[in-house]
Structures are given as C-alpha cells and as structure tokens.
C-alpha cells in the first residue's frame, strides 16, 4: 500500500513533460557539432577505488592550501585597508564564503555512510572535514561586516554543529556502529538546508531600499502566519513527542525550521537601509533565537529528550512572539 | 508520388554516429529522450536545468559511444550518463537554494502543498538515493533495470530503494494523515 502511495504521490509531485521542441533543440545542437567519437573502447587509465579516493583527497588538500593562501591575502587586504562595513569589507566577506564553499567536495556522505561501508565513509568524511574546518576557522577569523553580524554568529553556530556531526559520523564509522552512523548522517544532512539558504543569501546580499526591505519582511511574515505547523509549534497547545510521535514532531520542527530559515535568509538577502538598521537588528536577533530553539528541539528529538524539547519550544514560543512584534514594528513604520 | 522512407536500424545509427553524424546519434536517443528528461527533472527539479543536463549528457554519450558494449542496451547506459551529468550540476550549485518549480495544477492547494512537501523531501535525499527513488517510483523501473543502470546487483538495488523509502516515510505518513 505504501509502495502504491509512493508511486502516486511522486507522479503527482513530478509529473512534468519536456517543453515543446526540447528534443528538436537537442537534435539541432547535435547535428551542428562536428565531433569524432571514440571508435573503440578508449584506452583509459584504470584507477582503483582506493586510488581514486587518494587522488580526490590530494586534490582537496591542494585546493585547500591554495584557497588558504588566497584568503590570507584577502584577509590582509581587508584588515589593512577597509573599515568593518565598507563595500570592500562586504565584498571580501562574500568572497571568503564563496571560496570556502567552493572547496567543499561534492559530499556523498549520505550515500557512502550507511550499512557497513565504513572505509568509504571515512574517506568521504575526512575530505569534507578538511573543507568544513577551513570554513569554520575562516568564519571565526574574519570580522563580519555589520550587515552580516547576526547571520555570521548563527553561521558559526551552525558550522560548529556540522563539524561535530561530521566527527560523530567519523567516530561511529570507526567504531563500526551502523545505527549511530545513520543517526549522525541524518543530523548532518538536515543541517545542510540552513547553511545553503544562509550562505546563498550572504553571497547574493544587496542593499535594499525602505520599500524593498519592507516588502520582503511583509512577504516572510505572511508566509510565517500561513504556516500551520509553525503556528502549532509556536502556539500553546500541548505537543507530546513520546512513543510513536517523534516522526510527526520531527516534521513539525522541520517545516517550522524551513520557514524560519527563509525569513532569516530573506533579511540578509535584502539588507535593511540604514534608517531601519535598529529594527532590523532586533528582528534578526529574535529570528536567530528562534533558529537556535529549533536546533535545540531537533537535537532533543533525536535524543528522545522530551524535557529538552519542551525547553526549546518555550524559547521558540517567546522568540516567535518577539518576531511578530518586530515585524509589526517594521511594517507599521 | 511514392515516398520512400529509409529506416535505419540502431546498428546503422551507431555506426553513423561513430563516424561523426550528430543527427544519427540524435535519432538513436530519440526514444530515450522523454525518460532521460524525467530522470534529470526528478533529480534537479527544474525543467530548464533538466533540458540542459540531457543535452550535455547527450554530447558526452556521443563522445563515449565507443564505450557502449556490443549488444548492450542503450537506455541504462545513457541514463547513467544523464544521472552523472545531473550530479555535476548539483555539485556546482550545492550551496545555492534550490528554487523548485511548482508542479502543474496549482488550483488544488492541498495537493500542491503535499507535492511541494514531497519535492522538498526528495531534495533532502542525497543524489544516489534521489536517483533510485526517481528510477523506481517516477519511471516505474523494475529492480533489474535499476540494477543495470546503476551497475549494481538486483539485491543491492532493492536494499537501496528500501533505504531511500525509509528516509521518505515520515513525510509520506504526514501527508497521508492530511488527506
């Protein structure tokens, strides 16, 4: 029954046909190329799996060293020549985030780290750890411009968590503990969403006007109000996550976290004009508190800790109420 | 007027494509285009990127046509190249927020919300898990063909499908409760 249900829902969710003329465009593109395909199976160098992994790790090391050198130069220039919130400092911070993210290997941890694939898992985690540690160090070393102060603090918290999750995957892999490895991998993968949204907003951040900033806040506030799960979780009704409930609770937390993430990243993407900086700072701080509360709740859920979940929820309730006040203050001038 | 149609066999098309005839290669993959697009769309959730990925994969497949073993089926070989191309696209954008397109039929808000939730859940899977879900539940592939496409055993294909479904189960259950 579940199998049938999955067929139906995936078809409903993804039922898209190629656009008209798509194949003809491909045909035209192929016909216009003059290439000479390999006639026979190519004489290719055969790499063993271990060899490939070693090569990948070596490449990552070389790239990390190059990036570190480039960043060092960037930092020196930024430290020496620019005040904390100049255009140059903002650009340098964006560049640091961009460069560090580019150094991450295309992670396949969720593909490699399961079952008894301990050796493959360890190689992947080590490669990712290298880039993640570099990013973590740069986040700590680099002075964030005022526009990104709150976001940068949250970024450091999230990145520290991702590092500890990676280390937990590594420890579980070394202990050949499949169940623990699966839990840590799930936590690591769930940490992607926030990191992706926030780093994307930082890299594309632009100075907003009063109108564009207020429009962005209004949009996100409406989305938050319309998010039934968010209202449930931030409301006063009793939610038990004991027994068979954890999956439902996890989904509530996930959806609320997604909404909070969109709100946080939106006010970074379209930065408040200076006339609204104080109000924006309050809003960002309260959103950050909500975000931290949601992380606490997610961790409590995975540990089966109802008291921890309740504590996180109390913090979420207070911070969402504060976000509502902050947003009203911004929207009502 | 009598029209004479020359229908080339796959073998003839392969030979022509190996000689550098792009039209012949396009003809060869024509029956696979729709399914390739659906694999790419299932992995990338963006029609433009899916079309581009299939086109790029087609060029790569054409260049590697010599690697296609005599008598081997074209479809799993081509789909594997498409899937790899999608992995490359995902890698290049891994830090960016994936702005998934809305599915058709936006009038049905409950269905739409469920579809969006499911697509988000799919995007949270890793590339390999998402691929196996797409092959099994979107293309309705039997385990044997999934195994051929991924170069794994049928048993491993079954195991991987079960594992991916386990990851999706919470979201499916919650949607089930909403209906």
């Amino acid at each position: 029954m579940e199998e049938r249900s999955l067929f139906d829902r995936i078809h409903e969710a993804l039922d898209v046909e190629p656009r008209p003329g798509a194949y003809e465009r491909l045909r035209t593109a192929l016909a216009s190329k003059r290439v000479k395909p390999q006639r026979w199976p190519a004489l290719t160098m055969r790499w063993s799996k271990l060899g490939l992994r070693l090569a990948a790790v070596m490449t990552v090391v070389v790239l990390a060293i190059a990036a570190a050198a480039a960043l060092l130069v960037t930092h020196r220039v930024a430290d020496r020549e620019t005040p904390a919130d100049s255009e140059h400092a903002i650009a340098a911070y964006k560049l640091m985030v961009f460069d560090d993210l580019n150094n991450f290997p295309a992670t396949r941890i969720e593909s490699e780290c399961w079952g008894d694939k301990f050796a493959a898992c360890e190689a992947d985690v080590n490669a990712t750890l290298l880039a993640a540690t570099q990013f973590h160090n740069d986040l700590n070393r680099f002075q964030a411009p005022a526009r990104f102060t709150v976001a940068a603090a949250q970024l450091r918290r999230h990145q520290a968590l991702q590092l500890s999750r990676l280390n937990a995957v590594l420890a579980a892999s070394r202990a050949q503990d499949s169940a623990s490895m699966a839990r840590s991998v799930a936590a690591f993968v769930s940490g992607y969403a926030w990191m992706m949204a926030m780093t994307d907003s930082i890299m594309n951040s632009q100075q907003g006007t009063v109108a564009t900033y207020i429009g962005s806040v209004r949009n996100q506030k409406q989305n938050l109000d319309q998010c039934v799960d968010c209202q449930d979780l931030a409301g006063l009704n009793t939610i038990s996550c004991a027994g068979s409930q954890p999956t439902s609770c996890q989904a509530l937390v996930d959806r609320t976290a997604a909404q909070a993430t969109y709100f946080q990243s939106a006010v970074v993407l379209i930065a408040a004009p200076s006339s609204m900086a104080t109000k924006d700072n309050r809003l960002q701080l309260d959103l950050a508190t909500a975000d931290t509360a949601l992380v606490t709740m997610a961790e409590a859920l995975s540990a089966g800790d109802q008291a921890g979940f309740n504590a996180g929820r109390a913090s979420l309730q207070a911070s969402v109420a504060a976000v509502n006040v902050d947003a009203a203050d911004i929207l009502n001038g | 007027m009598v029209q004479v149609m020359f229908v080339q066999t796959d073998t003839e098309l392969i030979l022509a494509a190996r000689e550098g005839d792009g039209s012949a290669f396009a003809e060869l993959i024509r029956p696979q285009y729709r399914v390739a697009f659906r694999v790419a769309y299932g992995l990338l959730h963006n029609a433009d990127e899916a079309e581009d990925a299939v086109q790029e994969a087609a060029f790569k497949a054409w260049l590697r046509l010599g690697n296609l073993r005599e008598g081997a089926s074209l479809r799993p070989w081509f789909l594997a190249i498409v899937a790899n191309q999608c992995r490359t696209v995902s890698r290049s954008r891994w830090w960016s927020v994936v702005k998934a397109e809305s599915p058709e039929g936006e009038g049905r808000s409950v269905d739409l919300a469920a579809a969006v939730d499911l697509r988000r859940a799919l995007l949270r899977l890793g590339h390999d898990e998402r691929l196996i879900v797409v092959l099994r539940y979107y293309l309705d592939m039997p385990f044997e063909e999934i195994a051929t496409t991924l170069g794994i055993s049928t048993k491993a294909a079954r195991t991987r499908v079960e594992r991916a479904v386990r990851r999706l189960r919470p979201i499916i259950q919650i949607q089930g409760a909403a209906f």
Side-chain angles (χ1 to χ4, degrees):
Chain A
M1 183 179 159
E2 184 180 78
E3 177 103 342
R4 188 68 255 161
S5 166
L6 202 48
F7 270 116
D8 294 343
R9 288 184 181 163
I10 286 184
H11 276 277
E12 279 170 22
L14 297 176
D15 227 5
V16 171
E17 293 296 328
R19 292 178 307 174
Y23 170 75
E24 284 67 30
R25 284 191 288 278
L26 169 67
R27 185 188 184 88
T28 306
L30 285 171
S32 66
K33 289 267 178 184
R34 293 306 306 169
V35 299
K36 193 70 176 173
Q38 300 154 355
R39 255 173 197 279
W40 310 109
L43 188 61
T44 51
M45 190 185 291
R46 306 293 296 180
W47 289 73
S48 68
K49 210 167 182 181
L50 181 65
L52 273 174
R53 288 187 190 292
L54 278 173
V57 170
M58 289 302 292
T59 307
V60 168
V61 170
V62 170
L63 286 173
I65 291 168
L71 277 172
L72 201 61
V73 172
T74 311
H75 291 188
R76 281 180 182 162
V77 170
D79 291 346
R80 193 174 59 239
E81 295 179 0
T82 62
D85 207 22
S86 68
E87 284 302 313
H88 190 162
I90 290 171
Y93 193 81
K94 287 180 178 181
L95 181 66
M96 179 272 287
V97 172
F98 180 82
D99 281 348
D100 276 4
L101 292 180
N102 252 352
N103 284 336
F104 271 80
T107 184
R108 295 184 59 210
I109 285 171
E110 64 271 31
S111 306
E112 293 294 349
C113 297
W114 61 281
D116 60 356
K117 300 169 74 178
F118 302 116
C121 173
E122 199 168 323
D124 279 349
V125 173
N126 278 329
T128 307
L129 259 175
L130 204 65
T133 305
Q134 175 69 47
F135 189 29
H136 184 65
N137 292 342
D138 284 338
L139 286 171
N140 284 331
R141 208 163 45 206
F142 214 96
Q143 186 188 354
R147 179 191 292 188
F148 300 136
T149 304
V150 179
Q154 282 303 96
L155 199 53
R156 286 194 293 271
R157 283 194 196 103
H158 278 269
Q159 184 59 14
L161 262 176
Q162 288 294 79
L163 270 178
S164 67
R165 288 164 180 158
L166 275 173
N167 279 313
V169 176
L170 193 59
S173 174
R174 285 177 179 163
Q176 305 207 339
D177 178 350
S178 299
S180 174
M181 189 164 78
R183 278 197 302 276
S184 306
V185 168
F188 176 74
V189 171
S190 74
Y192 277 161
W194 192 93
M195 297 292 290
M196 288 194 295
M198 186 52 79
T199 50
D200 185 68
S201 284
I202 287 173
M203 289 187 292
N204 295 297
S205 176
Q206 292 182 356
Q207 180 65 62
T209 62
V210 171
T212 56
Y213 176 75
I214 287 181
S216 166
V217 171
R218 179 179 292 117
N219 194 22
Q220 292 303 324
K221 176 70 168 67
Q222 280 170 356
N223 290 342
L224 186 62
D225 290 345
Q226 287 165 6
C227 167
V228 176
D229 290 329
C230 310
Q231 301 306 323
D232 270 359
L233 202 59
L236 298 173
N237 53 323
T238 304
I239 295 177
S240 169
C241 293
S244 62
Q245 299 303 313
T247 49
S248 307
C249 289
Q250 186 65 57
L252 278 180
V253 171
D254 282 352
R255 291 178 197 191
T256 307
Q259 209 61 59
T261 302
Y262 297 148
F263 208 151
Q264 279 184 292
S265 49
V267 288
V268 171
L269 182 64
I270 299 177
S274 56
S275 61
M276 306 190 80
T278 308
K279 289 178 180 179
D280 172 68
N281 191 252
R282 259 200 307 271
L283 174 62
Q284 287 203 43
L285 285 169
D286 287 328
L287 284 169
T289 309
D291 173 52
T292 303
L294 286 159
V295 171
T296 304
M297 291 161 80
E299 301 258 302
L301 272 179
S302 70
D305 173 9
Q306 177 76 46
F309 181 84
N310 291 344
R313 191 173 174 222
S315 172
L316 178 76
Q317 287 163 336
S319 53
V320 169
V323 164
N324 287 335
V325 171
D326 299 336
D329 195 22
I330 289 167
L331 297 178
N332 298 328
Chain B
M1 190 171 115
V2 179
Q3 281 191 323
V4 181
M5 276 180 69
F6 293 99
V7 179
Q8 288 178 288
T9 64
D10 277 5
T11 309
E12 288 167 339
L13 289 171
I14 288 174
L15 286 174
R18 280 183 177 161
E19 289 304 316
D21 182 348
S23 297
F25 187 69
E27 198 54 40
L28 192 64
I29 59 169
R30 180 201 286 271
Q32 316 305 336
Y33 185 81
R34 183 170 173 270
V35 76
F37 174 83
R38 285 163 79 92
V39 167
Y41 185 79
L43 291 171
L44 299 171
H45 292 202
N46 180 297
D48 289 336
E49 286 186 351
E51 192 181 320
D52 289 347
V54 173
Q55 187 160 316
E56 194 59 38
F59 278 121
K60 288 180 178 169
W62 184 18
L63 285 167
R64 296 177 198 162
L65 194 55
N67 293 352
L68 181 64
R69 288 196 312 275
E70 192 92 11
S73 172
L74 183 79
R75 179 162 122 153
W77 173 77
F78 182 50
L79 293 185
I81 294 173
V82 171
N84 273 337
Q85 180 60 29
C86 293
R87 185 199 295 277
T88 305
V89 172
S90 301
R91 277 178 180 175
S92 67
R93 70 171 192 199
W94 84 264
W95 63 84
S96 66
V97 180
V98 178
K99 296 173 182 69
E101 294 170 348
S102 297
E104 300 297 324
E106 298 202 4
R108 299 166 297 144
S109 60
V110 174
D111 289 356
L112 178 64
V116 169
D117 280 349
L118 183 57
R119 288 165 60 150
R120 281 184 180 162
L122 280 171
L123 285 171
R124 298 186 84 156
L125 297 179
H127 174 90
D128 292 354
E129 282 185 333
R130 203 182 313 153
L131 174 60
I132 211 156
V133 169
V134 166
L135 294 179
R136 177 68 181 153
Y137 296 104
Y138 188 32
L139 302 185
D140 305 351
M141 261 190 198
F143 288 110
E144 291 73 17
E145 191 175 357
I146 294 174
T148 310
T149 304
L150 301 183
I152 57 178
S153 69
T154 306
K155 188 181 170 197
R158 274 182 195 280
T159 308
R160 288 196 192 180
V161 167
E162 284 166 11
R163 184 167 170 272
V165 169
R166 272 204 299 278
R167 298 275 293 273
L168 280 175
R169 189 170 286 145
I171 195 86
I172 299 295
Q173 283 172 345
I174 285 183
Q175 284 176 19
F179 288 122

